[in-house]
Amino acid sequence: MYISNELEETATCKVLASLQEIMDKEWGDWKTDDVLVVCVSPDYSGAIGMRVLHGLTRDRVFPYYDTADVSFPDSSEEFIQECKLEFRVLLGMWRTQVSKIVLIEAGILTGGNYTWMSRMIEEFGFQKPITVALVERVQSKFKCDVVGMYCEKMPTFWWEQYNKHWDNID
């Protein structure tokens, strides 16, 4: 599914509006200094990560921000374990700073990474994370709390270049 600049902007606006609502519902009077926004796969998700971060500004302060690299479906088991270890280190660094985490990713395709990441966040003693996808495939085994748009076929963003890692998904 081709996602034009206009369609991406529409989905982004939907994410920003819906995320504020769910954060208020789930976390009540949350404070920016108690929230960490984790941009997952910053090579694809950096733009939506920044939009979300700045969209959560309160009293001229936005939440903390960090990034997490995750594996592609064709990654080796060794690389998958390395990603999990790096995320564990990230959570350890933030454990005493915040209690709330927002995971944001441009595309949730299979749901595998969000599944283990969400579990690990709770195992570390953080509140249940709020999960966000600009685009989520309906086939994903993980269902996000906030979704800008759904698709059945592999999404391709207007800015994206061909990436062999996703060849065998559809």
Side-chain angles (χ1 to χ4, degrees):
M1 173 183 184
Y2 180 74
I3 300 171
S4 67
N5 190 9
E6 295 78 18
L7 193 53
E8 181 182 19
E9 180 63 20
T10 299
T12 298
C13 291
K14 181 179 176 186
V15 162
L16 292 172
S18 300
L19 180 57
Q20 290 272 356
E21 289 177 21
I22 197 164
M23 288 174 71
D24 291 343
K25 179 183 168 199
E26 296 293 319
W27 294 341
D29 188 27
W30 56 274
K31 307 287 186 231
T32 56
D33 64 354
D34 190 35
V35 175
L36 172 65
V37 174
V38 177
C39 179
V40 179
S41 300
D43 52 343
Y44 278 86
S45 306
I48 185 63
M50 284 294 107
R51 294 284 301 273
V52 164
L53 179 69
H54 286 270
L56 297 178
T57 298
R58 286 186 167 185
D59 299 322
R60 299 183 346 210
V61 177
F62 51 70
Y64 294 108
Y65 183 82
D66 212 329
T67 62
D69 289 311
V70 292
S71 59
F72 290 105
D74 64 351
S75 295
S76 69
E77 185 59 33
E78 180 182 348
F79 183 70
I80 293 168
Q81 292 309 315
E82 184 178 314
C83 289
K84 289 180 179 182
L85 176 61
E86 288 179 9
F87 191 63
R88 187 176 298 282
V89 170
L90 180 147
L91 293 176
M93 291 185 332
W94 288 104
R95 186 190 309 209
T96 61
Q97 298 288 325
V98 300
S99 67
K100 300 166 181 65
I101 294 179
V102 175
L103 291 177
I104 175 72
E105 190 165 7
I108 298 299
L109 307 176
T110 65
N113 290 318
Y114 263 24
T115 299
W116 66 258
M117 293 175 96
S118 295
R119 188 176 318 121
M120 192 180 290
I121 287 168
E122 290 188 64
E123 288 170 359
F124 263 75
F126 294 95
Q127 292 186 28
K128 180 181 178 297
I130 293 178
T131 55
V132 181
L134 184 59
V135 179
E136 180 178 291
R137 287 185 74 203
V138 295
Q139 301 92 325
S140 172
K141 66 181 176 183
F142 188 94
K143 302 304 178 194
C144 290
D145 300 306
V146 177
V147 177
M149 62 183 288
Y150 293 91
C151 66
E152 289 188 24
K153 299 236 180 235
M154 282 296 293
T156 302
F157 291 94
W158 62 273
W159 45 262
E160 186 176 356
Q161 298 297 311
Y162 170 71
N163 185 323
K164 68 177 180 68
H165 294 293
W166 303 107
D167 282 350
N168 297 315
I169 295 299
D170 274 334

